[in-house]
Amino acid sequence: MASRLYTWGRWAVRRRGWVIAAWLLLLAVAGGLGVALHGKTTTDFSVPGIESRKAQDLLEAKFPQAAGGVARVVFAAPEGSAITEPKAEAAIEASLGKAAGITGVLNVSDPFLAPSVSADGRIGYADVRFREQASDVSDEAKDALSRAMTQAREAGIETEFGGSAMEPKTHVGGPAEVVGVVIAFAVLALTLGSLTAAGLPLMTALVGVAIGVLGVQFVARYVEMTSTATALALMIGLAVGIDYALFIISRHREQLVDPYQDVDDSIARAVATAGSAVVFAGATVIIALAALAVTGIPFLTIMGLAAAATVLLAVLVAITLVPAILGLFGARMRPRERRPTQAQEPQRTPGSWGLAWARAVTRRPALVLLAGITVLLALAVPARDLRLGLPSNASQPEDSTQHQSYDLLTEGFGPGFNATLTAVIDLSDIPAADRPPTLTQLRTSLANDRGVAAAAQPVINKSSTVATIAVVPKTGPDAQATTDLVNRLREGTRIVEKAGGSLYIAGTTAAAIDVADKLSDALPLFITIIVLLALILLTIAFRSLLVPLKAVLGFLLSAAASMGATVWVFQDGHLNGLLNIPSASPVTSFLPVLLIGVLFGLAMDYEVFLVSRMREHYEHSGDAAASVTQGMARSGRVVSAAALIMVAVFGGFVFNHDPIIKSIGFAMAFGVLVDAFIVRMTLVPAVMGLLGPRAWILPRWLDRITPHVDIEGANLQERQSSEYEQKGPMTVVR
């Protein structure tokens, strides 16, 4: 691999004008398609085959009036007054009348005819039902609905919006994300010792991310895609794009310390050595993200493929655009010579702190290993109580209309009102004469459940083949008791089944529970695939059995610690004020799968970059102990910088208003921090020190069938020696 990438790097330098022009052209094409022909993203995380989805399909086919998106308009009079007062009632009726005339609105409920006003008369609500599904309701219709409520607001009535049609969309690129990029630039400047060199990884990463995100937006025109997919592609693409460019530029500048090193040759060698690790590590990230398809969940598959495409672009940028731009800068990338301020002041050896750290760790490796594992297991403890779900409006920012409507409905009608379930009954196979008594019996049974606050009268379609019953739990959407209620209601379907019909428990809360269950079932298979993948790839990379085993165990500890910290913060409610989290709630249902997939790829990045330098030294010296310390000295600084950049980029998304993006950003940032500094920088050298030469043992039978992948550039060293003997020292380019 290294020899081929050396040739590739040489070509990119010689044809740098064409390479840069090609990337700029691709950026222009992606920009045109992404801006002019972008698709529409959705906030629907439904999964085919789950019970709530079957109920929705049934409603769309036989009861479309009940299948459309709903915007719930919540009205609240000032303290001490009521919305039933004549002036307030007239203003509300006038506003709802205007709402009924909005294009796409099917019907509007009257809060004063239906039981939609609280006992004290201060809070009420009206449901505006659209013909389209919630994800298809246009922004123009939502804006028109907001304007229609002007008369109610002018009468002093607080008006807020909730419901499936008013789900907020995800937006990225705010001040917090920008701060993360600024911190990444500062880390790059300190690591590379040059503002010019620090700007290159950012510039090239932004090119790859822009093409990736714009391409994803264009693909959304043809494929149903959640808004989270775009945010994830941006988050991961930016982080790995900066890191991959950093590894190549850092290796290039390290080589240019030698005054006899030819610049073009150095670029090609950086692509061959660090670039080999980039390609290999990038491949693991891409495969891990693409492996999300094995969950059988379409929205997660699309999310993984979108992020994988962005990572692929980051790899291609690193091995083509980066060397081309380095070729433009030429000798200006050569580090300046460091002169001591005093004659007696010694020159500091590059990587000296990494060398010192490695020696400290390997001095007492067993003790370090025990302490590190203890810390990771302690961090993982809260994960035992992990609960999965999808964020309700309580998790939206406190000043958002969705959160305000949630609080008002809770105040006026109880916590369970925001968790309203829908019992969907298929009456097609029930004799017509038996349908009314069956529905009456079912409603009575539902209302008598200990977890139900109220069960509404059945609503039946025109052909009397499908009916719905609204069921209000006593507890909120995020409560475990509500999940237990849904499972209990689904088990008690004997009344309908005995009559020959089918009962489905649906609604937003039930759908969130279904998705969580589906993802929980898929998690063991996904973890198994990831572990086997890691063992195979790392065995090929390092021609060892113990190194891959150690890497996998370390990754599992990192993932468990990150999941534990996420549960402690988001589910248990710690640090809510600091991180601006409105309320404690279950962990986003697809976060564990996503975290494992992404963190696996990133953890293998650092494993490859760190251990490949150890392997490189061991190949040349045969000294296992020295290879650990020298590998840390050579790669510790750049791996630490890469991890800090990842943490800064992911950490910026922790302050995004969207609760899903916020939790993903936190889990990724914490996971990378733990994996890089506790596992890779501490436990890895400790284990390698304990193993010694045994770390590089591979059985002969396995050695014969394992492909040879030269990611350390051993063949290049032979080429360099041969060229040096033939040509002598190279001319210095200044």
Side-chain angles (χ1 to χ4, degrees):
M1 180 187 292
S3 298
R4 290 185 176 89
L5 284 176
Y6 178 89
T7 304
W8 180 265
R10 275 284 198 183
W11 177 86
V13 173
R14 291 169 181 167
R15 299 288 186 270
R16 48 184 172 266
W18 288 104
V19 172
I20 294 171
W23 278 106
L24 292 178
L25 177 62
L26 183 58
L27 178 60
V29 171
L33 294 174
V35 173
L37 299 174
H38 65 87
K40 184 171 61 174
T41 57
T42 179
T43 56
D44 182 19
F45 293 100
S46 182
V47 179
I50 60 177
E51 182 166 332
S52 54
R53 182 69 252 179
K54 292 178 180 178
Q56 182 68 18
D57 293 341
L58 177 63
L59 291 175
E60 290 174 10
K62 297 185 177 182
F63 200 175
Q65 295 87 347
V70 175
R72 177 159 287 175
V73 188
V74 184
F75 304 101
E79 291 289 345
S81 58
I83 62 172
T84 53
E85 294 175 1
K87 181 181 177 181
E89 184 173 340
I92 291 172
E93 292 283 10
S95 293
L96 293 176
K98 292 180 181 179
I102 297 173
T103 303
V105 171
L106 187 63
N107 59 63
V108 179
S109 66
D110 189 334
F112 305 105
L113 294 179
S116 303
V117 179
S118 62
D120 61 1
R122 195 178 79 83
I123 299 172
Y125 69 91
D127 285 340
V128 179
R129 187 173 294 277
F130 292 87
R131 290 186 177 88
E132 301 91 350
Q133 293 186 47
S135 59
D136 295 329
V137 176
S138 66
D139 292 335
E140 291 77 11
K142 297 176 186 179
D143 293 339
L145 179 59
S146 180
R147 290 193 300 270
M149 298 299 118
T150 300
Q151 195 165 340
R153 294 193 191 96
E154 291 176 347
I157 304 298
E158 181 183 356
T159 306
E160 306 294 348
F161 299 92
S164 61
M166 301 300 286
E167 289 288 332
K169 291 190 175 180
T170 301
H171 298 284
V172 293
E177 288 92 328
V178 174
V179 169
V181 174
V182 172
I183 295 174
F185 177 76
V187 174
L188 286 168
L190 289 172
T191 304
L192 297 174
S194 164
L195 292 178
T196 302
L200 289 183
L202 283 177
M203 180 177 65
T204 55
L206 288 174
V207 170
V209 166
I211 295 173
V213 171
L214 290 168
V216 168
Q217 291 180 341
F218 172 69
V219 172
R221 185 181 182 90
Y222 307 99
V223 177
E224 184 175 333
M225 190 175 298
T226 64
S227 52
T228 307
T230 304
L232 184 66
L234 172 62
M235 188 188 306
I236 296 176
L238 186 59
V240 300
I242 295 173
D243 275 8
Y244 291 168
L246 167 63
F247 286 123
I248 291 177
I249 294 171
S250 176
R251 186 66 177 254
H252 175 49
R253 284 172 60 83
E254 177 187 325
Q255 294 166 167
L256 288 181
V257 171
D258 179 2
Y260 295 104
Q261 176 65 59
D262 177 71
V263 173
D264 289 358
D265 181 68
S266 175
I267 296 171
R269 291 184 182 281
V271 173
T273 51
S276 293
V278 164
V279 171
F280 200 88
T284 63
V285 180
I286 292 167
I287 295 172
L289 290 169
L292 291 172
V294 303
T295 61
I297 299 172
F299 78 81
L300 197 57
T301 299
I302 296 299
M303 196 181 299
L305 292 177
T310 310
V311 174
L312 176 61
L313 283 167
V315 173
L316 294 176
V317 164
I319 62 174
T320 56
L321 183 59
V322 169
I325 294 178
L326 289 176
L328 280 181
F329 279 88
R332 283 173 290 179
M333 295 300 293
R334 192 182 295 275
R336 294 180 181 178
E337 293 182 8
R338 300 179 61 183
R339 296 182 176 86
T341 55
Q342 300 178 8
Q344 70 273 18
E345 184 179 344
Q347 185 88 13
R348 186 177 181 181
T349 305
S352 57
W353 75 268
L355 184 64
W357 176 255
R359 285 173 176 168
V361 169
T362 54
R363 191 173 295 120
R364 296 286 188 275
L367 182 62
V368 169
L369 186 62
L370 179 62
I373 293 175
T374 301
V375 170
L376 292 172
L377 291 177
L379 290 171
V381 168
R384 296 180 305 173
D385 302 320
L386 172 67
R387 287 186 55 236
L388 300 178
L390 289 174
S392 65
N393 282 340
S395 299
Q396 297 297 333
E398 292 183 354
D399 59 352
S400 67
T401 188
Q402 290 84 4
H403 188 99
Q404 297 291 338
S405 69
Y406 183 98
D407 287 346
L408 288 172
L409 290 172
T410 299
E411 179 185 346
F413 303 95
F417 196 81
N418 285 293
T420 300
L421 306 170
T422 303
V424 180
I425 308 97
D426 187 353
L427 304 169
S428 303
D429 297 329
I430 300 178
D434 294 339
R435 292 172 186 175
T438 299
L439 291 176
T440 300
Q441 282 184 278
L442 176 62
R443 177 178 177 269
T444 301
S445 174
L446 294 173
N448 289 337
D449 188 281
R450 63 180 182 277
V452 173
Q457 291 291 337
V459 178
I460 308 173
N461 66 346
K462 292 181 180 179
S463 61
S464 298
T465 55
V466 176
T468 62
I469 300 175
V471 180
V472 180
K474 292 180 179 178
T475 51
D478 298 332
Q480 179 62 44
T482 304
T483 301
D484 296 338
L485 171 64
V486 170
N487 294 330
R488 197 162 57 245
L489 294 181
R490 285 173 170 170
E491 291 171 358
T493 60
R494 290 183 297 275
I495 295 173
V496 177
E497 290 179 349
K498 185 178 179 180
S502 300
L503 170 67
Y504 305 96
I505 302 299
T508 303
T509 301
I513 295 170
D514 289 343
V515 172
D517 290 342
K518 180 77 172 178
L519 285 159
S520 296
D521 293 340
L523 192 57
L525 173 62
F526 184 67
I527 292 176
T528 302
I529 291 174
I530 288 296
V531 168
L532 292 176
L533 175 68
L535 291 173
I536 294 171
L537 290 177
L538 292 179
T539 299
I540 294 173
F542 300 121
R543 311 193 69 76
S544 164
L545 283 180
L546 295 178
V547 169
L549 183 61
K550 172 263 304 172
V552 168
L553 293 176
F555 154 69
L556 292 175
L557 285 171
S558 299
S562 180
M563 204 68 256
T566 303
V567 169
W568 189 76
V569 171
F570 288 88
Q571 183 176 304
D572 297 343
H574 298 94
L575 304 181
N576 280 8
L578 178 64
L579 300 180
N580 194 26
I581 301 172
S583 67
S585 62
V587 174
T588 301
S589 54
F590 54 86
L591 178 57
V593 174
L594 199 62
L595 173 67
I596 289 171
V598 175
L599 189 59
F600 162 74
L602 301 181
M604 294 308 103
D605 276 3
Y606 299 135
E607 181 76 14
V608 168
F609 286 114
L610 195 62
V611 180
S612 63
R613 296 305 293 266
M614 296 180 187
R615 175 75 179 186
E616 181 180 343
H617 190 277
Y618 181 75
E619 287 285 331
H620 298 149
S621 68
D623 188 338
S627 70
V628 176
T629 55
Q630 291 302 316
M632 288 288 293
R634 290 292 185 182
S635 58
R637 179 183 177 87
V638 70
V639 167
S640 298
L644 289 175
I645 290 168
M646 286 264 188
V647 172
V649 172
F650 289 145
F653 289 86
V654 174
F655 299 96
N656 189 286
H657 74 277
D658 185 272
I660 294 177
I661 298 300
K662 185 185 288 288
S663 62
I664 291 175
F666 176 85
M668 299 298 182
F670 192 88
V672 169
L673 186 69
V674 166
D675 189 83
F677 291 102
I678 297 182
V679 175
R680 308 303 154 189
M681 295 292 292
T682 304
L683 299 188
V684 165
V687 173
M688 297 296 285
L690 286 172
L691 292 176
R694 294 187 298 274
W696 309 111
I697 292 176
L698 187 68
R700 290 184 180 180
W701 66 269
L702 187 57
D703 182 68
R704 287 194 298 269
I705 63 174
T706 301
H708 286 265
V709 180
D710 179 26
I711 66 173
E712 297 90 14
N715 295 334
L716 290 178
Q717 296 294 333
E718 297 174 4
R719 175 187 294 188
Q720 183 179 28
S721 300
S722 175
E723 290 178 353
Y724 190 87
E725 291 172 359
Q726 294 175 12
K727 300 180 181 179
M730 298 180 183
T731 303
V732 181
V733 181
R734 295 289 184 185

